[in-house]
Amino acid sequence: MYYLVIRQFARTLKNLDAILEKAQRHAETKKFDVNNFCTARLAPDMLSFLFQVRIACDQAKSTAALLAGKEPPVHEDTEKTVEELRGRVAKCLAYLDTFTEKDFEKTSPQLKIKLPRQGKSLYADEYLFGRQIPNFFFHVTTAYDLLRQGGVEIGKSDFIGHLHLVDG
Amino acid sequence: MYYLVIRQFARTLKNLDAILEKAQRHAETKKFDVNNFCTARLAPDMLSFLFQVRIACDQAKSTAALLAGKEPPVHEDTEKTVEELRGRVAKCLAYLDTFTEKDFEKTSPQLKIKLPRQGKSLYADEYLFGRQIPNFFFHVTTAYDLLRQGGVEIGKSDFIGHLHLVDG
């Protein structure tokens, strides 16, 4: 189940990457600099688009690492362009791809995940369902919403991506 | 695990209800009609705030019902005010509260969930992780983003709500 969630994070990040590519194509067509999106915010005291994408990546990366008892790699916050953000997503996806179901075999709901800032911990399922899944989708959605509000032609199907439909 | 997700949906909807209440208090203080939010949209061709809240509720309701092999109740789309939307959330929460872990004991990953519009099905885990979880959080986040952009003083902690921190 933990592995399933990590695979879903990876799928959603792949969808986000395709959305970022659509933003690039949209800006080309409309002849504006796509990097104008990087500093876009829904409210002046909200985090910018750059941070929404970075944090989404970091949530996915940390979730995989900490549930598997590993140290998450540090990805420096140096991106200034949409192309660099796509690089950040790619780096995160490459990291997520190193995980297999086996990495989570020993992960039990009794595993405590430390939150250094709070000096406290969360049990694995509370960490995953209560904190990481809502957080991850919060940031991907807000990134999507910023592009959508900015005129990029994307819809829910870009956010959800391809589903494995079966007969019956 | 299925039950855990349904409990998380319920927690997130409770957080959304508290956010709606904050919007009401904000509007009172600023002396404007809180129901002005109901028709707010991030883009003119996106669904309005009313629909974001309704769909979030419906995603939660259907997920619980279909994974437990039940028929989801019909909640008519008649709300026109924030107070009525809070009623919709309450109705959904009351429905989610009827579920226990036992309802999902027989739910296997091989369960096929029918998508009537597509005339196809999804296996339970694909339905849950690939479609319902992303969709649910998409709509709650977009509702949050609309209020946040509209000046309501809410932050990520309102979205995440209370976490069960433990020592260690």
Side-chain angles (χ1 to χ4, degrees):
Chain A
M1 182 266 288
Y2 299 115
Y3 182 62
L4 262 179
V5 174
I6 300 307
R7 291 319 303 157
Q8 183 54 43
F9 282 180
R11 284 168 68 177
T12 300
L13 287 176
K14 266 177 215 142
N15 299 340
L16 177 61
D17 183 60
I19 287 168
L20 292 175
E21 198 189 344
K22 280 201 174 182
Q24 290 176 319
R25 274 190 275 143
H26 171 78
E28 265 169 48
T29 309
K30 296 273 181 186
K31 301 193 194 311
F32 72 87
D33 183 354
V34 70
N35 302 315
N36 292 349
F37 279 120
C38 291
T39 52
R41 301 165 197 270
L42 287 173
D45 57 346
M46 260 182 105
L47 290 173
S48 70
F49 182 75
L50 271 179
F51 281 89
Q52 301 298 341
V53 175
R54 285 176 188 161
I55 298 175
C57 290
D58 282 354
Q59 298 286 344
K61 179 186 81 178
S62 304
T63 308
L66 298 183
L67 287 176
K70 299 185 182 188
E71 187 72 32
V74 175
H75 294 158
E76 298 292 345
D77 291 336
T78 53
E79 303 85 3
K80 288 196 172 68
T81 66
V82 170
E83 194 58 34
E84 286 168 356
L85 283 177
R86 293 187 65 193
R88 175 73 168 253
V89 171
K91 218 162 29 175
C92 182
L93 282 171
Y95 179 65
L96 296 179
D97 276 348
T98 65
F99 288 83
T100 65
E101 195 142 20
K102 228 172 141 24
D103 287 303
F104 304 97
E105 259 174 8
K106 290 187 194 147
T107 309
S108 94
Q110 272 69 50
L111 174 71
K112 284 182 181 177
I113 309 280
K114 253 199 144 66
L115 303 181
R117 241 188 288 172
Q118 287 91 332
K120 295 268 189 178
S121 294
L122 293 172
Y123 284 116
D125 288 351
E126 176 74 351
Y127 170 75
L128 182 61
F129 291 105
R131 189 177 191 267
Q132 299 306 100
I133 292 177
N135 250 315
F136 173 76
F137 286 109
F138 177 94
H139 291 288
V140 181
T141 303
T142 301
Y144 170 101
D145 281 346
L146 278 163
L147 296 178
R148 185 70 170 76
Q149 186 167 64
V152 181
E153 285 179 23
I154 45 179
K156 178 71 82 55
S157 59
D158 295 292
F159 183 84
I160 296 293
H162 176 75
L163 289 170
H164 303 294
L165 294 163
V166 289
D167 290 329
Chain B
M1 183 265 288
Y2 299 115
Y3 182 62
L4 263 178
V5 175
I6 299 308
R7 292 318 303 156
Q8 183 54 43
F9 282 180
R11 286 169 66 177
T12 299
L13 287 176
K14 267 179 214 139
N15 299 340
L16 177 62
D17 184 61
I19 287 169
L20 293 174
E21 199 190 343
K22 280 201 173 181
Q24 290 176 319
R25 275 189 275 142
H26 171 80
E28 263 170 48
T29 308
K30 296 273 181 187
K31 300 192 194 315
F32 72 87
D33 184 354
V34 70
N35 302 316
N36 292 350
F37 280 119
C38 290
T39 51
R41 300 164 196 270
L42 287 173
D45 56 346
M46 259 182 106
L47 290 172
S48 71
F49 181 77
L50 272 177
F51 280 89
Q52 301 297 340
V53 176
R54 284 176 187 159
I55 297 174
C57 289
D58 282 354
Q59 298 285 344
K61 179 185 81 178
S62 304
T63 308
L66 299 183
L67 287 176
K70 298 183 182 190
E71 187 71 33
V74 176
H75 293 158
E76 298 292 345
D77 291 337
T78 52
E79 303 85 3
K80 288 199 172 65
T81 67
V82 170
E83 195 56 34
E84 286 168 356
L85 283 178
R86 293 187 65 193
R88 175 73 169 253
V89 172
K91 219 163 27 176
C92 182
L93 283 171
Y95 178 66
L96 296 180
D97 276 349
T98 65
F99 287 84
T100 66
E101 196 143 18
K102 230 173 138 26
D103 287 304
F104 304 98
E105 260 175 7
K106 290 187 195 146
T107 309
S108 95
Q110 271 70 50
L111 174 71
K112 283 183 182 177
I113 308 280
K114 252 202 144 69
L115 304 181
R117 240 188 289 173
Q118 287 91 332
K120 293 270 187 176
S121 293
L122 292 172
Y123 283 116
D125 289 350
E126 175 75 350
Y127 170 74
L128 182 61
F129 291 105
R131 189 176 191 268
Q132 297 306 100
I133 292 178
N135 249 315
F136 174 75
F137 285 108
F138 177 94
H139 291 289
V140 180
T141 303
T142 300
Y144 170 101
D145 281 345
L146 278 163
L147 296 178
R148 184 71 171 74
Q149 186 166 66
V152 181
E153 285 179 22
I154 45 178
K156 177 72 80 58
S157 59
D158 295 292
F159 184 84
I160 297 292
H162 176 74
L163 288 171
H164 302 296
L165 295 163
V166 290
D167 289 329

